Amino acid sequence: MSPAVDQYGVFGHPVAHSLSPFIHGVFARDTGQQMTYRAYDVAPEEFTERVAGFFADGGRGLNITLPHKIVAVEVVQELTARAAHAAAVNTLALQGDNVLLGDNTDGGGLVRDLCDNLGLIITQRRVLILGAGGATRGVLAPLLGLEPAIVVIANRTPERAEALAAAFADLGVTQGVGFEYVGETPFDLIINATSASLSGDIPPIPAGAIGPQTVCYDLAYGRSAMAFVRWAQQSGCVRAVQGLGMLVEQAAESFRLWRGVRPQTAPVLAALKARIGSV
Ligand code: ATR
Protein backbone atom coordinates (compact mmCIF):
# COMPACT_ATOMS: atom_id res chain seq x y z
CA MET A 1 0.00 0.00 0.00
CA SER A 2 1.31 3.46 -0.89
CA PRO A 3 1.91 5.94 1.92
CA ALA A 4 -0.60 8.79 2.21
CA VAL A 5 1.95 11.45 1.33
CA ASP A 6 3.97 11.00 -1.87
CA GLN A 7 7.63 10.43 -1.15
CA TYR A 8 10.58 11.87 -3.04
CA GLY A 9 14.23 12.28 -2.27
CA VAL A 10 17.81 12.51 -3.44
CA PHE A 11 20.32 9.65 -3.47
CA GLY A 12 23.96 10.72 -3.20
CA HIS A 13 27.20 9.94 -1.41
CA PRO A 14 27.94 12.17 0.43
CA VAL A 15 24.61 13.97 0.51
CA ALA A 16 24.39 15.65 3.92
CA HIS A 17 25.01 19.14 2.49
CA SER A 18 22.55 18.77 -0.40
CA LEU A 19 20.35 21.82 -0.90
CA SER A 20 17.71 19.75 -2.70
CA PRO A 21 15.52 19.03 0.39
CA PHE A 22 15.33 22.78 1.05
CA ILE A 23 14.58 23.62 -2.59
CA HIS A 24 11.90 20.95 -3.05
CA GLY A 25 10.42 21.76 0.36
CA VAL A 26 9.87 25.36 -0.77
CA PHE A 27 8.52 24.21 -4.16
CA ALA A 28 6.04 21.84 -2.44
CA ARG A 29 4.86 24.51 -0.03
CA ASP A 30 4.50 27.18 -2.72
CA THR A 31 2.56 24.91 -5.09
CA GLY A 32 0.47 23.25 -2.37
CA GLN A 33 1.73 19.74 -3.17
CA GLN A 34 1.39 17.04 -0.49
CA MET A 35 4.80 15.38 -0.58
CA THR A 36 7.95 14.72 1.38
CA TYR A 37 11.53 15.03 0.11
CA ARG A 38 14.51 13.60 1.98
CA ALA A 39 18.25 13.17 1.40
CA TYR A 40 19.50 9.56 1.49
CA ASP A 41 23.19 8.72 1.82
CA VAL A 42 23.57 5.71 -0.47
CA ALA A 43 26.94 4.03 -0.99
CA PRO A 44 27.74 2.92 -4.57
CA GLU A 45 27.54 -0.80 -3.79
CA GLU A 46 23.97 -0.51 -2.46
CA PHE A 47 22.64 1.90 -5.11
CA THR A 48 20.61 -0.50 -7.27
CA GLU A 49 19.06 -2.28 -4.31
CA ARG A 50 18.16 0.98 -2.53
CA VAL A 51 16.50 2.38 -5.66
CA ALA A 52 14.40 -0.77 -5.96
CA GLY A 53 13.56 -0.61 -2.24
CA PHE A 54 12.56 3.06 -2.40
CA PHE A 55 10.06 2.49 -5.21
CA ALA A 56 8.83 -0.84 -3.77
CA ASP A 57 7.98 1.08 -0.58
CA GLY A 58 5.79 3.50 -2.54
CA GLY A 59 8.34 6.22 -3.44
CA ARG A 60 7.33 8.34 -6.46
CA GLY A 61 10.57 9.96 -7.61
CA LEU A 62 14.25 10.52 -6.90
CA ASN A 63 16.98 12.93 -7.75
CA ILE A 64 20.29 11.22 -8.35
CA THR A 65 23.52 13.03 -7.60
CA LEU A 66 27.21 12.17 -7.42
CA PRO A 67 28.52 9.54 -7.72
CA HIS A 68 25.45 7.69 -9.03
CA LYS A 69 24.37 9.61 -12.15
CA ILE A 70 25.98 7.27 -14.67
CA VAL A 71 25.01 3.95 -13.08
CA ALA A 72 21.44 5.27 -12.72
CA VAL A 73 21.07 4.83 -16.49
CA GLU A 74 21.08 1.08 -15.83
CA VAL A 75 18.16 1.01 -13.38
CA VAL A 76 15.50 2.61 -15.57
CA GLN A 77 13.13 1.08 -18.10
CA GLU A 78 12.86 4.27 -20.17
CA LEU A 79 15.26 7.14 -20.86
CA THR A 80 14.44 10.60 -22.17
CA ALA A 81 16.43 11.69 -25.24
CA ARG A 82 18.36 14.26 -23.23
CA ALA A 83 19.31 11.67 -20.59
CA ALA A 84 20.47 9.34 -23.36
CA HIS A 85 22.64 12.13 -24.80
CA ALA A 86 24.03 12.93 -21.37
CA ALA A 87 24.61 9.21 -20.69
CA ALA A 88 23.58 10.13 -17.15
CA VAL A 89 20.39 10.40 -15.12
CA ASN A 90 19.65 12.95 -12.40
CA THR A 91 15.91 12.31 -12.07
CA LEU A 92 13.92 9.10 -11.66
CA ALA A 93 10.15 9.20 -11.97
CA LEU A 94 7.77 6.30 -11.48
CA GLN A 95 5.25 6.42 -14.30
CA GLY A 96 1.62 5.38 -13.96
CA ASP A 97 2.22 1.96 -15.50
CA ASN A 98 5.02 1.22 -13.01
CA VAL A 99 7.68 2.06 -15.59
CA LEU A 100 10.71 3.82 -14.12
CA LEU A 101 11.70 6.79 -16.30
CA GLY A 102 15.20 8.30 -16.24
CA ASP A 103 15.61 11.96 -17.18
CA ASN A 104 18.44 14.47 -16.98
CA THR A 105 17.36 18.00 -16.12
CA ASP A 106 20.87 19.44 -15.62
CA GLY A 107 21.29 20.85 -19.13
CA GLY A 108 17.74 22.15 -19.22
CA GLY A 109 18.37 23.82 -15.86
CA LEU A 110 21.52 25.48 -17.18
CA VAL A 111 19.73 26.74 -20.29
CA ARG A 112 16.88 28.14 -18.18
CA ASP A 113 19.31 29.94 -15.93
CA LEU A 114 21.31 31.36 -18.83
CA CYS A 115 18.33 32.46 -20.91
CA ASP A 116 15.54 33.25 -18.43
CA ASN A 117 17.35 34.33 -15.25
CA LEU A 118 20.45 35.95 -16.72
CA GLY A 119 18.82 37.10 -19.97
CA LEU A 120 21.68 35.87 -22.17
CA ILE A 121 21.35 35.23 -25.89
CA ILE A 122 23.26 32.12 -26.93
CA THR A 123 22.03 31.77 -30.52
CA GLN A 124 24.87 32.54 -32.95
CA ARG A 125 27.22 33.30 -30.03
CA ARG A 126 30.59 31.73 -29.28
CA VAL A 127 30.64 29.35 -26.32
CA LEU A 128 33.67 27.79 -24.61
CA ILE A 129 33.26 24.89 -22.19
CA LEU A 130 36.17 24.02 -19.94
CA GLY A 131 36.29 20.31 -19.10
CA ALA A 132 35.21 17.17 -20.92
CA GLY A 133 33.86 14.99 -18.13
CA GLY A 134 30.37 14.02 -17.08
CA ALA A 135 29.32 17.59 -16.28
CA THR A 136 30.11 18.74 -19.82
CA ARG A 137 28.42 15.74 -21.42
CA GLY A 138 25.34 16.44 -19.30
CA VAL A 139 24.78 19.96 -20.64
CA LEU A 140 25.96 19.76 -24.26
CA ALA A 141 22.72 18.68 -25.97
CA PRO A 142 20.46 21.38 -24.45
CA LEU A 143 23.18 24.00 -24.99
CA LEU A 144 23.60 23.06 -28.66
CA GLY A 145 19.81 23.22 -28.94
CA LEU A 146 20.14 27.00 -28.54
CA GLU A 147 22.11 27.04 -31.81
CA PRO A 148 25.29 28.83 -30.77
CA ALA A 149 27.75 29.70 -33.57
CA ILE A 150 30.22 27.25 -32.05
CA VAL A 151 30.84 25.32 -28.85
CA VAL A 152 34.54 24.84 -28.21
CA ILE A 153 35.26 22.15 -25.62
CA ALA A 154 38.69 22.59 -24.02
CA ASN A 155 40.23 20.04 -21.72
CA ARG A 156 43.48 19.19 -19.94
CA THR A 157 43.31 15.83 -21.71
CA PRO A 158 42.57 17.01 -25.28
CA GLU A 159 41.50 13.56 -26.52
CA ARG A 160 38.47 13.62 -24.20
CA ALA A 161 37.43 17.02 -25.60
CA GLU A 162 37.88 15.80 -29.16
CA ALA A 163 35.81 12.69 -28.45
CA LEU A 164 32.96 14.72 -26.93
CA ALA A 165 33.01 17.25 -29.78
CA ALA A 166 32.74 14.38 -32.27
CA ALA A 167 29.97 12.67 -30.29
CA PHE A 168 27.81 15.83 -30.38
CA ALA A 169 28.74 17.07 -33.87
CA ASP A 170 25.33 16.05 -35.23
CA LEU A 171 23.68 18.60 -32.90
CA GLY A 172 25.72 21.67 -33.87
CA VAL A 173 29.16 23.12 -34.52
CA THR A 174 31.59 21.68 -31.97
CA GLN A 175 35.35 21.63 -31.60
CA GLY A 176 37.52 19.82 -29.05
CA VAL A 177 40.96 21.19 -28.09
CA GLY A 178 43.59 21.41 -25.37
CA PHE A 179 43.52 24.62 -23.29
CA GLU A 180 46.46 26.16 -25.18
CA TYR A 181 44.59 25.92 -28.49
CA VAL A 182 41.50 27.82 -27.38
CA GLY A 183 42.64 30.90 -29.33
CA GLU A 184 42.69 34.64 -28.66
CA THR A 185 39.24 35.53 -30.03
CA PRO A 186 36.95 36.39 -27.08
CA PHE A 187 34.03 34.09 -26.34
CA ASP A 188 30.57 35.35 -25.43
CA LEU A 189 30.16 32.68 -22.77
CA ILE A 190 32.74 30.58 -20.93
CA ILE A 191 31.39 27.71 -18.84
CA ASN A 192 33.60 26.02 -16.27
CA ALA A 193 32.67 22.34 -16.11
CA THR A 194 35.97 21.11 -14.68
CA SER A 195 36.50 20.04 -11.12
CA ALA A 196 39.75 22.04 -11.11
CA SER A 197 38.42 24.59 -8.58
CA LEU A 198 38.29 21.86 -5.95
CA SER A 199 42.08 21.86 -5.96
CA GLY A 200 42.25 25.64 -6.42
CA ASP A 201 43.38 25.30 -10.06
CA ILE A 202 42.24 27.48 -12.94
CA PRO A 203 42.31 25.99 -16.45
CA PRO A 204 45.15 27.78 -18.29
CA ILE A 205 43.30 29.34 -21.22
CA PRO A 206 44.74 32.21 -23.30
CA ALA A 207 44.00 35.69 -21.87
CA GLY A 208 42.42 36.78 -25.16
CA ALA A 209 39.60 34.24 -24.79
CA ILE A 210 37.99 36.56 -22.21
CA GLY A 211 36.86 39.97 -23.43
CA PRO A 212 34.77 42.77 -21.94
CA GLN A 213 31.58 41.11 -23.26
CA THR A 214 32.36 37.64 -21.95
CA VAL A 215 30.07 36.08 -19.35
CA CYS A 216 31.77 33.42 -17.20
CA TYR A 217 29.64 30.72 -15.60
CA ASP A 218 30.69 27.97 -13.20
CA LEU A 219 28.44 24.92 -13.10
CA ALA A 220 29.37 24.53 -9.43
CA TYR A 221 28.36 26.86 -6.62
CA GLY A 222 29.63 27.95 -3.23
CA ARG A 223 33.19 27.10 -2.29
CA SER A 224 33.67 24.87 -5.35
CA ALA A 225 33.02 27.81 -7.69
CA MET A 226 35.00 30.42 -5.80
CA ALA A 227 38.41 30.08 -7.49
CA PHE A 228 36.99 30.27 -11.02
CA VAL A 229 34.56 33.10 -10.24
CA ARG A 230 37.30 35.21 -8.63
CA TRP A 231 39.69 34.52 -11.50
CA ALA A 232 37.00 35.43 -14.04
CA GLN A 233 36.22 38.69 -12.24
CA GLN A 234 39.90 39.61 -12.27
CA SER A 235 40.20 38.71 -15.94
CA GLY A 236 37.90 41.54 -17.01
CA CYS A 237 34.73 39.67 -18.01
CA VAL A 238 31.40 41.49 -17.88
CA ARG A 239 29.90 39.03 -15.41
CA ALA A 240 30.97 35.97 -13.40
CA VAL A 241 28.23 33.68 -12.15
CA GLN A 242 28.14 30.54 -10.03
CA GLY A 243 25.74 27.71 -10.77
CA LEU A 244 23.12 28.25 -8.07
CA GLY A 245 20.54 29.20 -10.68
CA MET A 246 21.21 25.98 -12.58
CA LEU A 247 20.76 24.02 -9.35
CA VAL A 248 17.37 25.59 -8.70
CA GLU A 249 16.23 25.32 -12.33
CA GLN A 250 17.17 21.65 -12.68
CA ALA A 251 15.23 21.01 -9.47
CA ALA A 252 12.21 22.84 -10.91
CA GLU A 253 12.39 20.66 -14.04
CA SER A 254 12.44 17.51 -11.90
CA PHE A 255 9.54 18.82 -9.81
CA ARG A 256 7.50 19.51 -12.94
CA LEU A 257 8.14 16.00 -14.22
CA TRP A 258 6.97 14.52 -10.92
CA ARG A 259 4.04 16.79 -10.06
CA GLY A 260 2.96 18.28 -13.40
CA VAL A 261 3.36 21.82 -12.09
CA ARG A 262 6.35 24.12 -12.57
CA PRO A 263 7.20 26.00 -9.39
CA GLN A 264 8.39 29.61 -9.24
CA THR A 265 12.18 29.58 -8.99
CA ALA A 266 12.96 33.23 -8.19
CA PRO A 267 12.04 33.12 -4.46
CA VAL A 268 14.12 30.03 -3.68
CA LEU A 269 17.05 31.33 -5.77
CA ALA A 270 16.99 34.61 -3.86
CA ALA A 271 16.92 32.71 -0.55
CA LEU A 272 19.91 30.56 -1.57
CA LYS A 273 21.90 33.56 -2.80
CA ALA A 274 21.37 35.20 0.57
CA ARG A 275 22.60 32.03 2.25
CA ILE A 276 25.52 31.12 -0.03
CA GLY A 277 26.65 34.27 -1.78
CA SER A 278 25.20 36.46 -4.45
CA VAL A 279 27.37 35.99 -7.57
P1 ATR B 1 32.53 15.57 -13.77
O1 ATR B 1 31.50 14.49 -13.82
O2 ATR B 1 32.40 16.53 -12.62
O3 ATR B 1 32.68 16.29 -15.07
P2 ATR B 1 34.91 14.07 -14.35
O4 ATR B 1 34.20 13.26 -15.35
O5 ATR B 1 35.87 13.43 -13.43
O6 ATR B 1 33.89 14.81 -13.41
O7 ATR B 1 35.62 15.29 -15.10
C1 ATR B 1 36.34 16.26 -14.43
C2 ATR B 1 36.81 17.29 -15.43
O8 ATR B 1 37.59 18.28 -14.76
C3 ATR B 1 37.70 16.71 -16.52
O9 ATR B 1 37.49 17.46 -17.71
C4 ATR B 1 39.08 16.95 -15.96
O10 ATR B 1 40.10 17.00 -16.94
P3 ATR B 1 40.78 15.62 -17.48
O11 ATR B 1 39.80 15.02 -18.44
O12 ATR B 1 42.03 16.07 -18.14
O13 ATR B 1 41.02 14.76 -16.27
C5 ATR B 1 38.89 18.30 -15.34
N1 ATR B 1 39.89 18.62 -14.29
C6 ATR B 1 39.96 18.08 -13.05
N2 ATR B 1 40.97 18.64 -12.35
C7 ATR B 1 41.55 19.55 -13.17
C8 ATR B 1 42.64 20.46 -13.04
N3 ATR B 1 43.34 20.54 -11.90
N4 ATR B 1 42.94 21.27 -14.09
C9 ATR B 1 42.23 21.19 -15.25
N5 ATR B 1 41.19 20.34 -15.44
C10 ATR B 1 40.86 19.53 -14.42
Side-chain angles (χ1 to χ4, degrees), residues 85-87 129-141 144 151-155 157-177 193:
H85 269 121
I129 303 188
L130 308 175
T136 298
R137 179 175 264 282
V139 301
L140 270 174
L144 286 164
V151 173
V152 176
I153 305 162
N155 198 42
T157 313
E159 296 76 27
R160 292 186 81 192
E162 287 161 15
L164 265 192
F168 285 83
D170 56 330
L171 299 184
V173 182
T174 57
Q175 188 188 1
V177 294

Side-chain angles (χ1 to χ4, degrees), residues 11-15 42 64-69:
F11 277 15
H13 186 69
V15 81
V42 174
I64 304 298
T65 189
L66 299 179
H68 306 306
K69 286 186 185 186

Side-chain angles (χ1 to χ4, degrees), residues 131-136 155-157 160 179 193-196 199 201 203:
T136 298
N155 198 42
R156 180 175 62 181
T157 313
R160 292 186 81 192
F179 292 129
T194 71
S195 48
S199 46
D201 292 336

Side-chain angles (χ1 to χ4, degrees), residues 5-249:
V5 176
D6 289 345
Q7 293 183 34
Y8 297 85
V10 54
F11 277 15
H13 186 69
V15 81
H17 296 290
S18 171
L19 296 170
S20 294
F22 170 76
I23 295 170
H24 285 284
V26 175
F27 287 168
R29 190 194 62 202
D30 290 355
T31 57
Q33 298 288 306
Q34 298 300 312
M35 58 185 277
T36 62
Y37 188 105
R38 284 183 48 200
Y40 299 88
D41 197 315
V42 174
E45 61 275 15
E46 52 179 10
F47 178 75
T48 305
E49 196 184 320
R50 293 279 299 273
V51 168
F54 179 84
F55 288 105
D57 288 345
R60 303 297 309 164
L62 284 173
N63 281 131
I64 304 298
T65 189
L66 299 179
H68 306 306
K69 286 186 185 186
I70 292 171
V71 73
V73 171
E74 309 298 327
V75 304
V76 302
Q77 281 95 48
E78 257 178 45
L79 267 187
T80 62
R82 59 190 183 178
H85 269 121
V89 158
N90 81 335
T91 308
L92 298 177
L94 196 62
Q95 308 290 90
D97 46 6
N98 247 11
V99 166
L100 193 57
L101 175 73
D103 193 7
N104 192 318
T105 64
D106 284 334
L110 171 67
V111 160
R112 280 253 180 197
D113 195 34
L114 293 174
C115 299
D116 297 358
N117 298 340
L118 300 171
L120 303 183
I121 293 166
I122 308 295
T123 308
Q124 288 308 313
R125 303 294 158 91
R126 286 164 46 77
V127 178
L128 171 64
I129 303 188
L130 308 175
T136 298
R137 179 175 264 282
V139 301
L140 270 174
L143 204 55
L144 286 164
L146 297 175
E147 300 184 358
I150 188 168
V151 173
V152 176
I153 305 162
N155 198 42
R156 180 175 62 181
T157 313
E159 296 76 27
R160 292 186 81 192
E162 287 161 15
L164 265 192
F168 285 83
D170 56 330
L171 299 184
V173 182
T174 57
Q175 188 188 1
V177 294
F179 292 129
E180 67 275 36
Y181 296 111
V182 157
E184 296 281 351
T185 308
F187 286 86
D188 299 292
L189 173 65
I190 300 179
I191 296 171
N192 182 29
T194 71
S195 48
S197 291
L198 294 175
S199 46
D201 292 336
I202 301 300
I205 58 170
I210 301 190
Q213 257 99 60
T214 307
V215 173
C216 291
Y217 190 104
D218 200 316
L219 296 187
Y221 55 87
R223 213 151 41 98
S224 305
M226 210 177 283
F228 177 77
V229 166
R230 283 211 184 117
W231 169 81
Q233 284 164 340
Q234 288 160 7
S235 303
C237 67
V238 65
R239 191 158 185 198
V241 190
Q242 61 170 324
L244 265 185
M246 174 179 169
L247 175 78
V248 174
E249 295 297 343

